[in-house]
Amino acid sequence: MARLAASLLAVAVLGAAEPLLFEPDPFASPQLRGADPFGDSEEEPGRSDKWLRDISKRAKNHFKKLLQPLQTPIVQEYQVLGILDGYVNYTMQLVANATGHDVIWNRSAGRFLAEETRELKQELPPRARYINKILIYMNKEMDVVWNFKTMIDRKRWGVGNVITSSPYGPHGEHPERWRANGSWPLPRARPNQTLLLQEQPTNLVLRIKPDVDEHENKYAQQLQADYESLVYNINDASKKMSDLRTRLWKMEDFAHQFIVLPSGVWNKIDAN
Ligand SMILES: *[C@@H]1O[C@H](CO)[C@@H](O)[C@H](O)[C@H]1NC(C)=O
Ligand SMILES: *[C@@H]1O[C@H](CO)[C@@H](O)[C@H](O)[C@H]1NC(C)=O
Ligand SMILES: *[C@@H]1O[C@H](CO)[C@@H](O)[C@H](O)[C@H]1NC(C)=O
Ligand SMILES: *[C@@H]1O[C@H](CO)[C@@H](O)[C@H](O)[C@H]1NC(C)=O
Ligand SMILES: *[C@@H]1O[C@H](CO)[C@@H](O)[C@H](O)[C@H]1NC(C)=O
């Protein structure tokens, strides 16, 4: 009976749309729980070949225990990027207000989200498939994190491009001919977030150490490698986000220098 309910749940989950990412505890939600209908049975009908055996129940629980805590830093990275996005928006608004023109940052941009979907490897036996599904979920989150980071960096670059390519100040070489192309109110205040404070920078760089383990089972070996590469991916993203924050600080400085420049006078700032 319990097993039947679980498989119905699994069917419902497969039929559902894209799972919601960045839930604080996706492991408690049906989308990942539902994928574990085989959880506790040790027998594997039709798999006598030792080499093709599923991972053990112990290994499954071990991997689950390693992966579960990684959700926290991933969600944190996503939240930090939200703050950096608000910050780069602020810098864009300063510059747009001064020039009276939109900051163009996404002219040639197509879709940011890579459409590549990591297909569930259907040939995996149940327990390995379950862990693989968790890995796919977390890797998808990391794709979103990287795309978000790229978008913020493009905005930063867009701001730098306006500053660098306006050597005669915000209203150009002939300020008497300048017209605002719309309305860009000044932002009310610089975003006030602890992690944006330059005086005592919050460390954004994560150095998570993967739990290194040897496995005999070939599926376990693959899952171990995927787990380790997820950890390095999370660490790498945090490093790049920290670098991005430093660049955004610099860009804010350039923006403040730029917006007070007299127009019509050559004062090139190289902000790229
Ligand atoms: C930044 O601006 C974009 C576009 O106006 C908006 O969609 C996004 O919510 C803003 N980000 C934050 C953190 O306010
Ligand atoms: C660029 O971003 C703005 C919001 O900042 C949006 O309104 C516009 O549609 C985007 N353009 C393209 C080509 O994606
Ligand atoms: C002025 O704004 C419109 C859209 O509001 C845009 O299509 C046009 O390219 C802008 N012109 C300049 C010179 O930025
Ligand atoms: C810049 O901001 C000020 C204050 O919000 C506003 O009065 C002014 O019209 C803005 N300039 C443009 C070009 O939108
Ligand atoms: C801004 O942040 C600082 C330091 O975290 C805090 O002391 C101050 O009250 C904040 N200001 C506002 C207006 O929130």
Side-chain angles (χ1 to χ4, degrees), residues 92 105-110 155:
M92 280 210 295
W105 58 274
N106 58 354
R107 182 175 275 146
S108 61
K155 289 180 176 178

CSV table of all heavy atoms in Angstrom, one decimal, residues 92 105-110 155, ligand 2:
chain,number,residue,atom,x,y,z
A,92,MET,N,23.3,51.4,-12.3
A,92,MET,CA,22.7,51.7,-13.6
A,92,MET,C,21.8,52.9,-13.5
A,92,MET,O,21.8,53.7,-14.4
A,92,MET,CB,21.9,50.4,-14.1
A,92,MET,CG,22.8,49.4,-14.7
A,92,MET,SD,21.9,48.4,-16.0
A,92,MET,CE,20.6,47.7,-15.1
A,105,TRP,N,22.5,46.9,-21.9
A,105,TRP,CA,23.4,45.8,-21.4
A,105,TRP,C,23.0,44.5,-22.0
A,105,TRP,O,23.8,43.6,-21.9
A,105,TRP,CB,23.3,45.7,-19.9
A,105,TRP,CG,22.0,45.4,-19.4
A,105,TRP,CD1,21.0,46.4,-19.1
A,105,TRP,CD2,21.4,44.2,-19.1
A,105,TRP,NE1,19.9,45.7,-18.6
A,105,TRP,CE2,20.1,44.4,-18.6
A,105,TRP,CE3,21.9,42.8,-19.2
A,105,TRP,CZ2,19.2,43.3,-18.3
A,105,TRP,CZ3,21.0,41.8,-18.8
A,105,TRP,CH2,19.7,42.0,-18.4
A,106,ASN,N,21.9,44.4,-22.6
A,106,ASN,CA,21.4,43.1,-23.0
A,106,ASN,C,20.9,43.1,-24.5
A,106,ASN,O,20.1,42.4,-24.9
A,106,ASN,CB,20.3,42.6,-22.1
A,106,ASN,CG,19.1,43.6,-22.2
A,106,ASN,OD1,19.2,44.7,-22.7
A,106,ASN,ND2,18.0,43.2,-21.5
A,107,ARG,N,21.5,44.0,-25.3
A,107,ARG,CA,21.1,44.2,-26.7
A,107,ARG,C,21.1,42.9,-27.5
A,107,ARG,O,20.1,42.5,-28.1
A,107,ARG,CB,21.9,45.3,-27.4
A,107,ARG,CG,21.4,45.5,-28.8
A,107,ARG,CD,22.2,46.7,-29.4
A,107,ARG,NE,21.6,48.0,-29.1
A,107,ARG,CZ,22.3,49.1,-28.9
A,107,ARG,NH1,23.6,49.0,-29.0
A,107,ARG,NH2,21.7,50.2,-28.6
A,108,SER,N,22.2,42.2,-27.4
A,108,SER,CA,22.4,41.0,-28.2
A,108,SER,C,22.1,39.7,-27.4
A,108,SER,O,22.3,38.6,-27.9
A,108,SER,CB,23.8,40.9,-28.7
A,108,SER,OG,24.7,40.8,-27.6
A,109,ALA,N,21.6,40.0,-26.2
A,109,ALA,CA,21.4,38.8,-25.4
A,109,ALA,C,20.2,37.9,-25.9
A,109,ALA,O,19.1,38.4,-26.1
A,109,ALA,CB,21.1,39.2,-23.9
A,110,GLY,N,20.4,36.7,-25.9
A,110,GLY,CA,19.4,35.8,-26.2
A,110,GLY,C,18.8,35.3,-24.9
A,110,GLY,O,18.8,36.1,-23.9
A,155,LYS,N,25.4,43.7,-16.9
A,155,LYS,CA,24.9,45.0,-16.5
A,155,LYS,C,26.1,45.9,-16.1
A,155,LYS,O,26.2,47.0,-16.4
A,155,LYS,CB,23.9,44.9,-15.3
A,155,LYS,CG,22.6,44.3,-15.6
A,155,LYS,CD,21.7,44.2,-14.4
A,155,LYS,CE,20.3,43.7,-14.7
A,155,LYS,NZ,19.5,43.6,-13.5
B,2,LIG,C1,16.8,44.2,-21.5
B,2,LIG,O1,16.5,44.4,-20.2
B,2,LIG,C2,15.4,45.3,-19.9
B,2,LIG,C3,15.3,45.4,-18.4
B,2,LIG,O2,16.4,45.8,-17.8
B,2,LIG,C4,14.2,44.7,-20.6
B,2,LIG,O3,13.1,45.6,-20.4
B,2,LIG,C5,14.4,44.5,-22.1
B,2,LIG,O4,13.3,43.8,-22.6
B,2,LIG,C6,15.6,43.6,-22.3
B,2,LIG,N1,16.0,43.5,-23.7
B,2,LIG,C7,16.3,42.4,-24.3
B,2,LIG,C8,16.7,42.4,-25.7
B,2,LIG,O5,16.3,41.3,-23.7
